[in-house]
């Protein structure tokens, strides 16, 4: 701040000029990222979102373009169309996308836990099996033990398809879903 300008004059200048160019760029990039997320979204999920009609139309146009540079240019145009609307117009869309991302993370973590349990069942002798039976007493023990034996054999034979390996995962997934529905 130059000595000739007072503090009040500097504050007035900031109010007069609005947001800085850096802030404008950040906001424009945020809209571009949102536009990319919308284009990448599955059509069924996109249909559920509350979007202005012209934005929907431009998303459809962008999806049809396959050439890299043309698609990039169309993405920029889509972001421009989206910037015509206020932040509040896309608040529900951002909330929905953020909520879904968290839900996807939770589902992925659950699948990883099931995969780890399956690998423990196949690798260990009785520890993991008795732990699973203790958690889910309704499980068909004989069928589970048979699947574990088959999965171990499939692992030893190089070209044998991992049918039992997949069945164990499906069984664990079904048990987890039954456990979730019993809790809820």
């Amino acid at each position: 701040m130059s000595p000739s300008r007072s503090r009040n004059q500097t504050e007035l200048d900031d109010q007069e000029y609005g947001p800085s160019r850096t802030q404008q760029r950040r906001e424009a990039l945020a809209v571009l990222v949102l536009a990319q997320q919308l284009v990448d979204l599955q059509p069924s999920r996109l249909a559920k979102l509350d979007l202005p009609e012209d934005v929907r139309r431009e998303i459809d146009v962008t999806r049809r373009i396959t050439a890299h540079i043309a698609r990039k240019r169309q993405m920029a145009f889509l972001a421009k169309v989206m910037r015509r609307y206020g932040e509040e117009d896309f608040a529900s869309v951002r909330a929905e996308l953020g909520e879904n991302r968290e839900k996807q993370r939770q589902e992925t973590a659950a699948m990883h836990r099931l995969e780890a349990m399956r690998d423990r069942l196949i690798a260990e002798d009785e520890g993991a099996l008795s732990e699973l039976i203790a958690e889910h007493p309704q499980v068909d023990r004989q069928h589970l033990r048979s699947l574990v034996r088959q999965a171990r054999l499939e692992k030893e034979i190089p070209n044998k398809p991992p049918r039992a390996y997949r069945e164990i995962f499906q069984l664990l997934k079904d048990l987890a879903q039954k456990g979730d529905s019993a809790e809820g």
Side-chain angles (χ1 to χ4, degrees):
M1 182 167 69
S2 68
S4 62
R5 300 194 111 198
S6 70
R7 176 180 273 264
N8 290 338
Q9 184 62 40
T10 306
E11 289 173 5
L12 283 174
D13 288 347
D14 288 345
Q15 291 172 357
E16 202 172 293
Y17 294 127
S20 67
R21 286 183 68 177
T22 305
Q23 183 61 31
Q24 289 173 343
R25 279 192 199 112
R26 276 192 212 115
E27 291 169 2
L29 282 174
V31 172
L32 186 62
V33 167
L34 178 62
Q36 184 63 51
Q37 288 174 340
L38 291 174
V39 168
D40 293 342
L41 210 57
Q42 296 170 348
S44 59
R45 285 189 51 206
L46 185 68
K48 295 175 185 174
L49 297 177
D50 181 31
L51 291 170
E53 192 55 41
D54 56 342
V55 173
R56 275 189 198 282
R57 192 171 40 252
E58 292 305 324
I59 289 172
D60 290 338
V61 169
T62 306
R63 285 182 170 172
R64 287 193 299 261
I65 296 174
T66 57
H68 177 71
I69 296 300
R71 187 177 177 95
K72 188 175 178 181
R73 194 169 33 249
Q74 181 62 30
M75 283 297 300
F77 181 71
L78 172 61
K80 180 181 176 182
V81 170
M82 290 173 67
R83 281 194 303 270
R84 291 179 191 157
Y85 295 93
E87 185 66 30
E88 63 279 354
D89 293 322
F90 294 106
S92 65
V93 173
R94 287 183 192 276
E96 180 71 24
L97 290 175
E99 188 176 290
N100 286 336
R101 218 175 290 130
E102 183 58 33
K103 184 177 177 184
Q104 286 174 342
R105 264 189 233 124
Q106 290 173 351
E107 289 173 356
T108 302
M111 290 299 140
H112 287 307
R113 283 192 297 274
L114 292 177
E115 289 170 355
M117 176 55 99
R118 174 185 58 192
D119 292 343
R120 279 186 55 212
L121 283 171
I122 294 170
E124 295 178 17
D125 289 332
E126 286 294 315
L129 194 60
S130 55
E131 181 183 317
L132 181 68
I133 291 171
E135 275 184 47
H136 303 281
Q138 76 277 13
V139 70
D140 183 0
R141 294 177 174 104
Q142 190 174 7
H143 180 64
L144 182 61
R145 289 178 198 275
S146 169
L147 286 176
V148 169
R149 274 194 306 275
Q150 289 173 9
R152 287 177 183 155
L153 288 174
E154 288 171 357
K155 197 174 181 182
E156 292 173 8
I157 302 172
N159 293 332
K160 189 155 175 75
R163 187 187 59 77
Y165 187 76
R166 291 183 188 128
E167 277 188 52
I168 292 172
F169 182 78
Q170 191 59 47
L171 181 87
L172 292 173
K173 191 174 169 184
D174 292 344
L175 287 173
Q177 287 174 348
K178 287 178 187 173
D180 289 347
S181 62
E183 290 174 10

